[in-house]
Amino acid sequence: MVAQQDHDLPTVTEAFHAGDERALAEIYDRWSPLVHSLALRALGSVESAEAVTQRVFTQAWTSRRDFDPSRVPLPAWLVGITRHAIADARRARDEPGTPGTRPTTAARDDAEPADLTERLVLADEMSRLGPAPEQVLRLALHDDLSHVQIAERMRLTPEVVTTHIRRSLLKLRERLEMVTDAH
Amino acid sequence: MHTDPELLSLLALGEHVGTAEDHVHVQACPECAGELSQLEWVTGLGRSVDAGTTLVSPSPDVWARIRDELALDRPAASETAPLVDEIPGIRSTRKALLSPLSIVKAALGRRSRGFGHELMAHTRLLPVAASWSDASGTAELATDEHGRRLLQVALQAELPPAGVRQAWLVHRDDPSLRQTLGILDGQHGLWTVEHSIDLALYAILDISQQGTGETEHSGQTIVRGELALVG
């Protein structure tokens, strides 16, 4: 239903590249929240963010043949398109005589923090880990507990806690690598 | 011998673990040092993230506009098109029930993820309380090829960062009789409906805001609708 399974990202990417419309729908399901959230934070209005989101996915579809999956992962490519679309939207808004949309929250004119994308992706992925692994990781990251302390707190063995930590960090890294233009 | 990967994970969290030998190896070995540094990147980001940060989904209108702009999936003569097209937000249902116009490449090579086999019921979900007045949703009930009933929900609501959203089937005559279906994942839910549940009686679908671990209905209904059987 919703493309939650990123282990088939290569498959969906290939189908997208080849022009399968259902692949676009799956990619939209999976990545539009990230695109929309980045735009919303940068531009401050739902209307502008939705316009950017629409533009990103239509542009991605029409330029899909220019996209080389061997050079950059599809999500990273989408994030790149998003950044350009946000910059264009800012320029259009700031031009005199252009009817601007009234921001609902304070829009920041300074550049977004460089790792905003990564932070949003990480936050989102943490909420998908499952209740036990998520709690383990939160206790480790935010409460600074050791794995032994976490084990005591959650009534698990230290081995189970360590396994949760390792698997979760690997999953998070894998997702982060998808949105990072690390090539 | 490389450093145990679990040890590296704990080191990335800043824990004081491992022997002196382990520490020497991690510093000297490029592979392990690289792995550790990548894991530290992840934990560093993790620490900088607000616990409540969630992603905001765009409204279903955005996808509709994209489809229009790209002229996607225009079913000319499909019999199932009219009913399904009127229900916004259930993109995957459209994918499954409309005959695919695009060529299915061998690359897809996996079983169809389409929702359902035959549409049985649908409903618009509407708010009942002022505090959720902007919320809405849709629900569809279909059977799969094994005859199992599947209920799919798409919510459009601003979700609070805490708690969960839960779906219930409520008896049409006695609101105190409720059958729990399950928890939504963000704005989406998909559950099997056990065959003994009589949907003619348990016809009201209720989506509530619950505290984590709260087993009784909180009393805070986000949206509600009556499953209308089709056909």
Side-chain angles (χ1 to χ4, degrees), chain B residues 10 14 31 53 69 79 99 129 207:
Chain B
L10 296 179
E31 247 186 75
T53 308
E69 192 179 330
E79 330 55 7
S99 41
I207 311 290

Side-chain angles (χ1 to χ4, degrees), chain A residues 1-43:
Chain A
M1 186 177 75
V2 177
Q4 307 271 6
Q5 303 304 323
D6 287 312
H7 63 260
D8 66 355
L9 181 63
T11 306
V12 176
T13 301
E14 196 180 331
F16 169 82
H17 199 245
D20 188 323
E21 294 168 359
R22 287 181 300 180
L24 174 64
E26 289 218 16
I27 285 161
Y28 180 86
D29 276 350
R30 182 68 182 86
W31 298 104
S32 64
L34 178 62
V35 168
H36 184 74
S37 300
L38 285 171
L40 193 54
R41 281 185 185 230
L43 301 169

Side-chain angles (χ1 to χ4, degrees), chain B residues 141-202:
Chain B
L141 183 77
T143 50
D144 67 9
E145 65 271 22
H146 303 293
R148 286 187 211 113
R149 297 184 297 182
L150 303 170
L151 183 67
Q152 176 174 258
V153 164
L155 196 59
Q156 287 104 45
E158 253 202 56
L159 302 181
V164 292
R165 269 54 60 188
Q166 185 159 346
W168 314 75
L169 287 172
V170 182
H171 197 287
R172 57 162 67 252
D173 299 324
D174 183 353
S176 72
L177 295 177
R178 291 185 209 99
Q179 177 60 55
T180 188
L181 274 172
I183 309 286
L184 278 77
D185 178 355
Q187 310 268 10
H188 298 280
L190 178 64
W191 309 278
T192 49
V193 182
E194 206 269 340
H195 67 272
S196 68
I197 297 173
D198 185 346
L199 290 175
L201 290 177
Y202 286 88

Side-chain angles (χ1 to χ4, degrees), chain A residues 30 50-51 60 62 104 114 133 161 164:
Chain A
R30 182 68 182 86
E50 289 190 348
T62 55
T104 55
V161 169
H164 276 317

Side-chain angles (χ1 to χ4, degrees), chain B:
Chain B
M1 282 274 88
H2 286 300
T3 312
D4 173 35
E6 291 194 339
L7 186 68
L8 285 178
S9 301
L10 296 179
L11 288 173
L13 285 168
E15 280 198 46
H16 300 297
V17 288
T19 63
E21 248 180 9
D22 289 319
H23 290 265
V24 165
H25 176 85
V26 168
Q27 285 186 337
C29 168
E31 247 186 75
C32 291
E35 177 84 359
L36 178 60
S37 130
Q38 278 200 328
L39 292 174
E40 281 171 339
W41 170 58
V42 176
T43 57
L45 275 173
R47 288 206 164 100
S48 74
V49 165
D50 281 330
T53 308
T54 50
L55 296 181
V56 180
S57 289
S59 81
D61 295 339
V62 177
W63 176 247
R65 284 182 230 137
I66 291 170
R67 281 191 50 193
D68 274 345
E69 192 179 330
L70 297 176
L72 295 180
D73 213 347
R74 288 278 181 238
S78 168
E79 330 55 7
T80 58
L83 177 66
V84 175
D85 262 346
E86 276 161 45
I87 303 166
I90 314 283
R91 293 188 290 276
S92 10
T93 309
R94 276 196 219 105
K95 274 192 285 173
L97 299 185
L98 301 175
S99 41
L101 300 181
S102 56
I103 298 164
V104 179
K105 295 283 182 170
L108 266 182
R110 54 194 160 91
R111 62 176 173 79
S112 164
R113 283 231 205 94
F115 171 63
H117 192 65
E118 198 182 294
L119 184 67
M120 286 173 61
H122 68 93
T123 178
R124 278 190 178 280
L125 303 171
L126 297 172
V128 299
S131 49
W132 295 101
S133 57
D134 290 330
S136 66
T138 48
E140 301 221 344
L141 183 77
T143 50
D144 67 9
E145 65 271 22
H146 303 293
R148 286 187 211 113
R149 297 184 297 182
L150 303 170
L151 183 67
Q152 176 174 258
V153 164
L155 196 59
Q156 287 104 45
E158 253 202 56
L159 302 181
V164 292
R165 269 54 60 188
Q166 185 159 346
W168 314 75
L169 287 172
V170 182
H171 197 287
R172 57 162 67 252
D173 299 324
D174 183 353
S176 72
L177 295 177
R178 291 185 209 99
Q179 177 60 55
T180 188
L181 274 172
I183 309 286
L184 278 77
D185 178 355
Q187 310 268 10
H188 298 280
L190 178 64
W191 309 278
T192 49
V193 182
E194 206 269 340
H195 67 272
S196 68
I197 297 173
D198 185 346
L199 290 175
L201 290 177
Y202 286 88
I204 314 287
L205 177 63
D206 182 292
I207 311 290
S208 68
Q209 169 69 27
Q210 302 284 121
T212 313
E214 188 180 2
T215 51
E216 292 302 310
H217 194 290
S218 63
Q220 267 206 71
T221 294
I222 300 175
V223 287
R224 188 188 285 156
E226 182 168 337
L227 288 168
L229 298 171
V230 301

